[in-house]
Amino acid sequence: MAPSAISMSTPSSPAADLEAISDAVDEVNVLKNQTMTAYDTTSAFDSTKDKTQFRQYTTATARVQDFYYEQHAKQTVAYNLAARVRFNSDSRIRKELSVWEALERLNALTDPSDPDTSLSQIQHALQTAEAIRRDGKPRWMQAAGLIHDLGKLMLEFGLAEGQWDVVGDSFPVGCPFDDSVIFHEAFALNPDDKNPVYSSGSGIYESGCGIENLLMSWGHDEFLYLIVKDQSTLPPEALAMIRYHSFYAWHREGAYRHFMAEKDCATLNAVQAFSPYDLYSKSDEPPEVEELKVGLDSLYRIVYDC
Ligand code: FE
Ligand code: FE
């Protein structure tokens, strides 16, 4: 998609729509997790909350459902391989940005007039990193928190076709779709679901092959991972946090565990350690962006393959 189409954030623009669907996906993941306590315990989380948010949840669910029906129908092995060929093409443009420049470009995807958009991308990035910092976690994890969603710029760089291959929960393709993936019934629309190889047993994989060998659905997690694995000194745990932060079926629901190799226990542990900071820091006070910007601008540089 042309940058000029992205930079003008209007309520009906693809950029604003992407921001809205990304927020709604996160909101549903938070709410979904809140239903995991025993059914007969007294709820406490809602004692101070504005109950009008339930209408927003209903609206978000409808929007998220439409989004996931499209995502599940189109995330095929064939598309995944084509997207990776496009990513690895020699003709791609390499664009160098500082992390702050990348955050500001990502922030341009936010439409402040959109009533469903509560946080900008910069605010979410800073809140995630700040929550990690306040808990005394290592600096590499703070850096992972800061950059974990920068892959969403793939929309601006023409490496995505729409929202459905940028945001949303991720899952492997080439093997049976697990029932724990959100809106899993929509996989009936995916031609791979009827492919005799992909839809039975372990599909194109073998048990114990290792999570890193799964073809993860194409989106911002995988895109940023492919970039930072070759361009950073982040440890494997940070790369795992970036690559699998949307793989809820695995790190929260316990699916796809039969593909894990021995070392994936550490991978899973890292992703699970990161997830709360991504999901729940959104309820914190909005960060002072200009204050936190000081010193950050020159700290990291990143090269996008686009
Ligand atoms: Fe994300
Ligand atoms: Fe995030």
Side-chain angles (χ1 to χ4, degrees):
M1 186 168 294
S4 58
I6 294 293
S7 60
M8 296 300 291
S9 292
T10 62
S12 59
S13 71
D17 290 346
L18 178 77
E19 181 67 16
I21 197 68
S22 183
D23 279 357
V25 165
D26 289 347
E27 183 182 358
V28 167
N29 277 323
V30 170
L31 292 167
K32 192 162 169 254
N33 206 31
Q34 288 171 350
T35 65
M36 294 177 71
T37 49
Y39 76 93
D40 53 353
T41 56
T42 304
S43 69
F45 79 97
D46 54 352
S47 60
T48 60
K49 292 199 173 186
D50 178 1
K51 299 298 189 295
T52 60
Q53 70 177 305
F54 286 101
R55 179 171 295 278
Q56 292 176 354
Y57 172 56
T58 302
T59 304
T61 300
R63 184 169 62 244
V64 168
Q65 178 169 334
D66 289 345
F67 161 79
Y68 274 117
Y69 269 63
E70 182 178 18
Q71 186 208 46
H72 291 0
K74 295 181 176 177
Q75 288 276 4
T76 62
V77 170
Y79 176 72
N80 200 283
L81 295 175
R84 290 169 195 277
V85 168
R86 185 171 55 190
F87 177 85
N88 290 315
S89 168
D90 289 338
S91 63
R92 72 186 176 209
I93 301 167
R94 295 179 70 86
K95 189 167 192 63
E96 183 171 340
L97 300 169
S98 72
V99 165
W100 192 260
E101 287 166 344
L103 282 167
E104 287 187 325
R105 280 182 84 148
L106 192 59
N107 222 39
L109 300 182
T110 304
D111 179 1
S113 69
D114 185 341
D116 294 324
T117 302
S118 55
L119 276 178
S120 72
Q121 291 292 327
I122 285 182
Q123 286 177 322
H124 174 55
L126 291 175
Q127 280 190 336
T128 304
E130 275 292 284
I132 295 169
R133 185 192 63 79
R134 282 198 304 273
D135 274 359
K137 301 292 177 69
R139 287 170 62 83
W140 60 258
M141 187 170 175
Q142 298 170 37
L146 185 69
I147 70 172
H148 75 283
D149 274 339
L150 284 183
K152 292 176 183 175
L153 275 178
M154 65 195 295
L155 183 68
E156 184 173 353
F157 295 154
L159 287 167
E161 295 189 355
Q163 299 168 356
W164 64 272
D165 58 348
V166 177
V167 295
D169 289 9
S170 60
F171 47 85
V173 296
C175 59
F177 301 113
D178 193 87
D179 286 352
S180 66
V181 178
I182 192 167
F183 293 112
H184 63 89
E185 69 278 6
F187 284 122
L189 302 170
N190 188 312
D192 288 0
D193 198 44
K194 299 173 185 63
N195 182 299
V197 175
Y198 303 155
S199 64
S200 62
S202 296
I204 61 175
Y205 313 106
E206 292 184 359
S207 291
C209 64
I211 294 297
E212 67 182 350
N213 290 312
L214 302 178
L215 278 178
M216 294 304 297
S217 51
W218 191 244
H220 71 285
D221 313 57
E222 186 73 0
F223 172 65
L224 187 65
Y225 163 74
L226 291 172
I227 291 172
V228 295
K229 77 180 177 68
D230 294 327
Q231 297 183 36
S232 76
T233 56
L234 289 171
E237 292 86 350
L239 299 180
M241 292 170 184
I242 290 166
R243 191 179 195 182
Y244 301 117
H245 72 268
S246 302
F247 192 7
Y248 285 92
W250 177 57
H251 69 69
R252 191 164 75 189
E253 307 298 338
Y256 301 104
R257 300 283 167 95
H258 57 293
F259 291 127
M260 290 174 66
E262 198 172 334
K263 69 173 185 176
D264 286 331
C265 291
T267 309
L268 177 61
N269 189 54
V271 181
Q272 290 175 330
F274 176 76
S275 188
Y277 297 104
D278 185 17
L279 273 185
Y280 301 124
S281 62
K282 283 190 170 183
S283 61
D284 293 348
E285 282 291 302
E288 294 294 333
V289 173
E290 288 305 314
E291 262 179 40
L292 294 169
K293 177 183 177 181
V294 177
L296 259 178
D297 203 13
S298 59
L299 263 185
Y300 311 101
R301 295 195 73 78
I302 193 166
V303 179
Y304 281 93
D305 297 331
C306 58

